């Protein structure tokens, strides 16, 4: 959903990230760029800051432009 105008051109392909966000308990690991990129997120935050999840550990994988 867009809150403004719909983009007129597709977004530039981005490289996958390898980064650790210490204050959030979030680690990002990725391989590749564009459509072939794979991105894996590990969120071990206890939920005391920001928003909470029902579980203290979330594992999320994106590949081929889809969440798996």
């Amino acid at each position: 959903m867009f809150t403004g105008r719909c983009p007129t051109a597709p977004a530039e392909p981005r490289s996958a990230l390898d980064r650790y966000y210490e204050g959030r308990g979030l680690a990002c690991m990725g391989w590749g760029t564009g459509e072939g990129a794979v991105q894996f997120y590990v969120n071990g935050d206890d939920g005391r800051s920001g928003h909470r999840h029902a579980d203290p550990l979330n594992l999320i994988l994106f590949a081929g432009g889809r969440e798996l």
Side-chain angles (χ1 to χ4, degrees):
M1 297 186 80
F2 297 101
T3 57
R5 293 183 187 183
C6 183
T8 57
E12 291 291 319
R14 294 188 295 173
S15 296
L17 295 175
D18 286 325
R19 189 170 296 157
Y20 177 63
Y21 298 92
E22 186 174 348
R24 296 181 62 196
L26 173 65
C28 306
M29 295 164 278
W31 304 268
T33 60
E35 293 271 333
V38 175
Q39 187 72 55
F40 183 64
Y41 296 98
V42 179
N43 185 353
D45 190 16
D46 64 5
R48 293 182 184 176
S49 61
H51 68 278
R52 289 189 85 107
H53 291 268
D55 57 340
L57 178 64
N58 290 290
L59 306 173
I60 306 167
L61 176 66
F62 291 92
R66 298 177 58 184
E67 182 177 351
L68 305 172

